[in-house]
């Protein structure tokens, strides 16, 4: 089996060469393009989703030994969601390497995000089957390192970073509002909403009000970054 130019470029972008090219081909075959009896990437996506989750969860726990479960869960969800996976896939030019059926529209943004997110998870599953966990762990860490660093910085400095960014834009400080508190006194869970003048709102949670505010500030910064309002 020979790879076309787009697939070769993808392999170069992830710095990995497949031993079993059929796994790569399957990972890049959308269900709309699979012929009767030939596999598409859905099973590999199922596997890759779990591998990605394990690698990210392990790294977040290692980097944040004192963080609460709620904080870790917030950052974990941000790192493994389809929008993040899709953004990384776009950076790799994965879209050009996909095998798609004629019925697939590239103009539907929500479907495109899911399609690309599923494809990069399928690629992760294919690498695992091709050469094992050690190699796929390294590749996931390489691909997600900037996203993880961004989350790590937010976890440490989110409220300060949000305040400084708003000041740099000539905007008033953010408004934090406690919206609920659940659980017993010895193990409470706080939910805080943060809003800024531009209209962006985010809700964070944590075992203390401060943790919840930090989580909310981190989420709204992430939202702003995704809209290219900050770099």
């Amino acid at each position: 089996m020979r790879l076309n130019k787009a697939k070769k470029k993808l392999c170069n972008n992830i710095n990995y060469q497949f031993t079993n090219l059929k796994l790569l081909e399957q990972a890049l075959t959308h269900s709309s393009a699979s012929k009767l009896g030939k596999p598409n990437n859905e099973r590999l996506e199922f596997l890759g989703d779990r591998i990605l989750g394990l690698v990210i969860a392990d790294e977040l726990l290692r980097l944040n030994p004192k963080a609460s479960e709620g904080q870790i869960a917030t950052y974990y969800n941000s790192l493994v969601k389809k929008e993040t996976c899709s953004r990384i896939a776009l950076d790799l030019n994965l879209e050009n390497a996909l095998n798609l059926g004629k019925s697939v529209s590239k103009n539907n943004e929500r479907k495109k995000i899911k399609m690309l997110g599923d494809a990069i998870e399928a690629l992760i599953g294919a690498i695992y089957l091709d050469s094992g966990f050690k190699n796929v762990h390294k590749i996931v860490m390489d691909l997600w390192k900037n996203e993880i660093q961004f989350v790590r910085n937010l976890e440490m400095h989110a409220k300060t970073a949000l305040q400084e960014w708003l000041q740099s834009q000539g905007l008033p400080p953010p408004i934090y509002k406690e919206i609920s508190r659940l659980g017993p006194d010895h193990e409470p869970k706080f939910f805080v909403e943060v809003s800024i003048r531009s209209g962006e709102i985010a809700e964070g949670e944590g075992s203390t009000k401060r943790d919840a505010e930090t989580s909310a500030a981190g989420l709204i910064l992430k939202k702003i970054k995704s809209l290219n309002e900050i770099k």
Side-chain angles (χ1 to χ4, degrees):
M1 180 181 296
R2 298 181 64 181
L3 300 181
N4 62 27
K5 185 177 180 180
K7 291 181 174 64
K8 287 180 180 178
K9 185 175 181 180
L10 175 63
C11 289
N12 289 334
N13 286 344
I14 64 174
N15 195 26
Y16 183 80
Q17 302 300 321
F18 277 82
T19 300
N20 184 350
L21 293 178
K22 288 183 179 180
L23 284 171
L24 173 62
E25 190 68 18
Q26 182 180 346
L28 297 174
T29 300
H30 188 258
S31 58
S32 63
S34 60
K35 297 179 181 178
L36 187 64
K38 288 192 175 182
N40 58 47
N41 65 6
E42 291 177 348
R43 288 172 61 87
L44 288 176
E45 180 268 326
F46 176 86
L47 176 62
D49 175 64
R50 274 69 185 170
I51 294 168
L52 173 63
L54 173 60
V55 173
I56 296 300
D58 179 65
E59 183 66 7
L60 286 176
L61 289 170
R62 186 185 71 81
L63 291 173
N64 304 282
K66 295 182 180 180
S68 68
E69 184 273 339
Q71 285 175 299
I72 294 292
T74 296
Y75 300 128
Y76 171 87
N77 291 335
S78 174
L79 289 167
V80 303
K81 66 182 181 179
K82 292 297 182 188
E83 289 82 357
T84 303
C85 292
S86 174
R87 187 162 58 247
I88 292 170
L90 285 170
D91 289 342
L92 294 171
N93 291 316
L94 188 150
E95 182 178 8
N96 294 332
L98 279 177
N99 302 318
L100 300 174
K102 294 181 180 179
S103 62
V104 175
S105 170
K106 293 186 178 181
N107 296 323
N108 187 312
E109 193 62 26
R110 292 190 66 181
K111 288 184 178 179
K112 182 177 178 179
I113 287 172
K114 184 180 186 309
M115 178 181 69
L116 290 175
D118 288 348
I120 197 164
E121 289 174 345
L123 189 63
I124 289 168
I127 294 168
Y128 169 74
L129 293 178
D130 193 57
S131 63
F133 187 74
K134 183 177 180 179
N135 280 327
V136 79
H137 182 280
K138 180 181 183 305
I139 289 170
V140 168
M141 291 302 299
D142 285 344
L143 296 180
W144 262 259
K145 63 183 178 182
N146 290 335
E147 296 287 341
I148 291 171
Q149 186 61 44
F150 185 77
V151 164
R152 189 182 184 192
N153 290 339
L154 289 182
E155 206 268 331
M156 297 166 58
H157 309 296
K159 291 182 69 178
T160 300
L162 179 58
Q163 180 85 6
E164 290 178 350
W165 182 79
L166 290 170
Q167 287 178 349
S168 73
Q169 302 297 309
L171 296 172
I175 298 173
Y176 295 93
K177 180 174 70 175
E178 182 180 328
I179 53 178
S180 64
R181 173 179 171 170
L182 303 175
D185 289 340
H186 69 279
E187 196 176 353
K189 180 173 285 190
F190 293 85
F191 295 84
V192 169
E193 179 185 274
V194 61
S195 59
I196 59 178
R197 179 180 283 181
S198 64
E200 296 296 333
I201 297 174
E203 181 182 321
E205 63 180 80
S207 56
T208 68
K209 187 175 179 180
R210 182 177 178 180
D211 284 348
E213 289 176 349
T214 299
S215 174
L219 289 172
I220 205 166
L221 273 171
K222 188 79 171 178
K223 188 179 292 187
I224 294 169
K225 179 177 181 287
S226 71
L227 295 172
N228 295 318
E229 293 180 7
I230 64 172
K231 302 295 182 184

